[in-house]
Amino acid sequence: MSDNLSMLDSLPHEILTNVFVRLPIKSIVTCTAVCKTWKSLIQNPTFISSHLHHSSNNNNKHPLLLFRLCSSEEKEHYVLHFDNQDFNEYTRFDDFPFHGQSYDGIFHVVGTCNGLVFLTDNLYRYHNNFVLWNPCVRKFVKLPKPNITCFSHGGYNASVGFGFDSKTNDYKVVRFVTLGEKGQMGKSPPEVEVYSLSTGKWRMVTALPPIGAARGHDPEAFVNGALHWVALRKTGTKFLNFVMVFDLGDEVFREIALPKLSDQNGDEYWVRVSISAYGNSLALFQPGFPNHRLSIWVMKDYADASSWTKIKTLPDAFLVEGIPRSHCIPKCFRKSGEVIVELYGGYLSSRDLKTKDFKDLRIRGYANTFVDSYVESLVLLDKPNQLRKRQKRKRNNNSTF
Amino acid sequence: MKFCTVKQYFDDENNNNVTNGIATTVIPLPNKHLKIKANNKEMEQYEQELLRNVMPQELTKLILAANYLNFKEALDFFCRTVANAIQNKSVDYVRKFFGLESDFEPGEEEKLCKEFAWSFEGVDED
């Protein structure tokens, strides 16, 4: 061994990593300015993966929930809460870089994965602006324009999903596009394209998708390395809903059948359901009609359609501040298995599906509230800093996002 | 504990006071750990004590010793201690703690400070 009066600067990288992963993210970022070695060690995919692993383990003990709340002035607020009994606020992300830059007033949050938040400016029109944002390190990546646009393909309905490919350590965005009227009727297969963060490009998916129409902006689920959408298909004279599955690693399609959802001679055209991740499997939300009783199904064994089990029907209304509120919109599941629902007026509450416990979370959004589990990470820290647009956006047709 | 590794360590090392210092600190650790494993408060106190009595340079040797001895709990413990010591501190403080100098080009460091300005705000006083 060398001279034992060596300083801490001679510590091997594995040990430095062991120290750094234990620091809060703010301090890790500070450490990039200490010296060149530290900067290249930290701003490195290997370290970022190690940190994510450590952060995920911590998260299992202290899970977090990310809330995106819109205020009445179309301002977006991103807040992290502890997903536990007390539900205290953990931190706020005040540095949302795109205030006032959305054509629709606010962005659509598609999902989160490993600390990244995926935003689209696609709520009501064909803008096709997509952003990957990590609020923990205040870095973002704007995606290039996709291949399928209304200029190239005519009218369409697109469903967008986002997830992590563990095989290639890459983040992928998938656009599942139902073309024209034939597509909407579930008579032709969709066009599917994939964006990869590591290449920075979109490309068309070569595997043949099953015939089915994506049901618009329904929430998708990213579970077991695959994206899941509810799709509609016409078989004979009847329409049937099913789950379209796209494996992010192999980039192939699968299907999972849904339980029987309609009594109207099996025709499900008007049946609108949504799915959500539920542990390592899926949950299905079926709004009641004409009442607003929400039915929740769970697939007890992932991919085994015969294991779909209806576990609960939530009542019409809950009391919030003494006033009955209805119109339960399910948002996501908590680590405990409770479901977070949005009631009429934007009031968020947490419902235990086993007991009858119902908890007012004392959080309220005005519209387009997003809730999902969240893990802090350093993903994108190794990417160059993208220039931010000026706060004011140009109100003319030539402005680009 | 891996006794053969320990023996090898002492055989390899130059016999000097520094090595003895490590031995007295690192070797008793497994017992200490077992005794205070369940009690976080005690761990914190022990950590504070360690920080007060041990200079950063000594900490390096402790870490390297624990690493060489493949003693994971001690290694994690020391790394945790170092992390707590530099948490929310300024860049200069961290440099002093590790005995490091900035080796950035003049413009480079400024660029970094600008890019990550938010992370340098609100740090503890040195």
Side-chain angles (χ1 to χ4, degrees):
Chain A
M1 269 170 102
S2 61
D3 177 10
N4 268 338
L5 291 174
S6 52
M7 311 291 250
L8 282 160
D9 67 341
S10 69
L11 285 175
H13 285 189
E14 314 87 63
I15 295 182
L16 280 176
T17 300
N18 196 340
V19 173
F20 293 153
V21 294
R22 297 167 192 281
L23 291 170
I25 289 182
K26 189 164 173 279
S27 297
I28 298 176
V29 174
T30 309
C31 286
T32 59
V34 167
C35 66
K36 280 186 176 167
T37 319
W38 284 29
K39 180 177 190 285
S40 69
L41 173 62
I42 292 170
Q43 285 185 313
N44 183 286
T46 314
F47 175 74
I48 291 173
S49 289
S50 303
H51 175 266
L52 177 61
H53 182 77
H54 193 259
S55 182
S56 300
N57 284 342
N58 268 359
N59 197 276
N60 285 333
K61 298 179 218 145
H62 306 286
L64 297 170
L65 282 168
L66 175 69
F67 288 81
R68 194 285 297 267
L69 305 160
C70 299
S71 65
S72 51
E73 309 99 48
E74 285 185 346
K75 274 222 134 177
E76 310 188 38
H77 304 274
Y78 292 82
V79 191
L80 279 179
H81 281 258
F82 287 104
D83 184 9
N84 59 17
Q85 279 275 48
D86 295 328
F87 210 74
N88 291 326
E89 189 179 302
Y90 171 61
T91 191
R92 295 196 155 238
F93 294 128
D94 290 321
D95 185 62
F96 183 59
F98 310 109
H99 272 302
Q101 288 181 35
S102 160
Y103 284 96
D104 295 322
I106 43 129
F107 284 84
H108 172 57
V109 182
V110 173
T112 79
C113 181
N114 294 348
L116 289 179
V117 179
F118 180 52
L119 303 163
T120 71
D121 192 8
N122 244 10
L123 216 40
Y124 306 118
R125 283 163 282 193
Y126 290 127
H127 299 302
N128 291 328
N129 294 316
F130 304 105
V131 186
L132 283 171
W133 174 48
N134 185 341
C136 300
V137 293
R138 309 198 187 191
K139 290 264 190 183
F140 61 86
V141 168
K142 284 184 201 160
L143 274 56
K145 292 293 179 194
N147 295 313
I148 306 168
T149 65
C150 56
F151 296 114
S152 59
H153 287 69
Y156 62 81
N157 241 8
S159 211
V160 186
F162 162 62
F164 176 65
D165 176 10
S166 54
K167 278 195 186 157
T168 53
N169 201 31
D170 191 14
Y171 293 90
K172 291 180 176 172
V173 173
V174 185
R175 266 183 100 221
F176 191 83
V177 185
T178 308
L179 294 168
E181 229 187 277
K182 196 170 174 211
Q184 306 292 357
M185 289 291 123
K187 289 184 190 163
S188 60
E191 295 272 349
V192 187
E193 58 178 334
V194 174
Y195 166 85
S196 140
L197 181 63
S198 57
T199 64
K201 292 188 160 64
W202 290 95
R203 63 183 151 74
M204 302 303 294
V205 164
T206 50
L208 195 65
I211 292 176
R215 296 285 239 172
H217 276 293
D218 287 333
E220 295 86 23
F222 179 63
V223 173
N224 297 328
L227 285 167
H228 302 71
W229 284 273
V230 176
L232 181 76
R233 168 194 289 139
K234 189 163 193 189
T235 357
T237 51
K238 299 207 176 107
F239 286 94
L240 193 70
N241 284 291
F242 66 99
V243 179
M244 182 97 66
V245 185
F246 181 69
D247 186 298
L248 274 193
D250 300 327
E251 296 196 6
V252 291
F253 294 90
R254 295 193 303 269
E255 287 183 37
I256 301 176
L258 286 171
K260 185 170 178 301
L261 297 169
S262 167
D263 295 321
Q264 295 174 319
N265 10 288
D267 187 1
E268 297 181 353
Y269 186 77
W270 298 109
V271 172
R272 290 299 211 145
V273 291
S274 59
I275 52 175
S276 156
Y278 182 76
N280 287 333
S281 187
L282 298 175
L284 174 76
F285 299 117
Q286 182 182 15
F289 185 82
N291 63 43
H292 300 292
R293 296 172 144 259
L294 178 73
S295 291
I296 303 178
W297 301 68
V298 155
M299 188 166 47
K300 301 242 166 180
D301 298 315
Y302 174 71
D304 178 4
S306 64
S307 73
W308 281 111
T309 313
K310 190 188 279 202
I311 56 171
K312 199 84 184 179
T313 301
L314 295 184
D316 238 348
F318 293 110
L319 280 179
V320 176
E321 294 168 6
I323 300 170
R325 307 247 169 217
S326 62
H327 282 88
C328 251
I329 303 174
K331 289 291 171 185
C332 74
F333 285 94
R334 297 177 66 174
K335 204 83 175 197
S336 57
E338 287 174 35
V339 62
I340 295 185
V341 293
E342 182 182 336
L343 302 171
Y344 188 72
Y347 296 92
L348 293 174
S349 30
S350 176
R351 170 79 180 192
D352 191 315
L353 299 177
K354 295 203 184 77
T355 69
K356 285 202 155 97
D357 286 347
F358 154 75
K359 182 180 171 176
D360 176 10
L361 296 175
R362 300 190 187 285
I363 298 180
R364 188 184 177 191
Y366 276 85
N368 300 299
T369 301
F370 172 83
V371 191
D372 205 0
S373 59
Y374 188 79
V375 174
E376 289 178 289
S377 84
L378 301 170
V379 180
L380 296 188
L381 188 62
D382 54 342
K383 300 280 177 202
N385 216 22
Q386 292 216 339
L387 290 171
R388 287 218 215 146
K389 262 199 99 60
R390 293 197 309 268
Q391 286 300 81
K392 270 208 191 116
R393 65 179 171 85
K394 292 190 218 161
R395 291 175 185 273
N396 64 44
N397 290 332
N398 295 329
S399 64
T400 51
F401 175 66
Chain B
M1 272 293 276
K2 298 192 174 151
F3 291 110
C4 45
T5 330
V6 174
K7 185 176 184 299
Q8 205 169 359
Y9 182 80
F10 287 112
D11 287 343
D12 290 347
E13 278 304 299
N14 299 323
N15 199 2
N16 57 42
N17 294 328
V18 169
T19 317
N20 289 334
I22 296 172
T24 49
T25 317
V26 178
I27 309 294
L29 264 181
N31 289 330
K32 188 85 186 175
H33 262 255
L34 287 168
K35 280 196 205 136
I36 62 180
K37 211 172 186 175
N39 193 337
N40 280 328
K41 228 2 179 125
E42 271 195 57
M43 267 308 235
E44 269 175 51
Q45 284 174 341
Y46 183 65
E47 228 170 85
Q48 290 302 318
E49 212 186 285
L50 201 77
L51 268 183
R52 257 182 274 132
N53 298 336
V54 169
M55 293 302 291
Q57 293 93 314
E58 288 290 312
L59 208 43
T60 324
K61 295 163 204 158
L62 286 170
I63 289 178
L64 289 169
N67 191 36
Y68 183 84
L69 293 167
N70 235 337
F71 188 5
K72 189 173 184 305
E73 284 85 3
L75 190 57
D76 286 347
F77 174 72
F78 292 131
C79 288
R80 210 164 45 236
T81 311
V82 173
N84 286 339
I86 63 171
Q87 183 170 303
N88 205 38
K89 294 279 193 269
S90 70
V91 178
D92 285 328
Y93 183 95
V94 176
R95 281 196 189 127
K96 260 199 251 155
F97 186 91
F98 281 79
L100 290 165
E101 304 252 323
S102 165
D103 56 352
F104 288 114
E105 321 297 332
E108 234 184 314
E109 195 174 337
E110 217 182 271
K111 233 176 77 186
L112 266 177
C113 288
K114 231 173 151 184
E115 186 179 344
F116 296 124
W118 56 272
S119 77
F120 303 118
E121 291 164 16
V123 290
D124 295 343
E125 295 279 319
D126 282 0

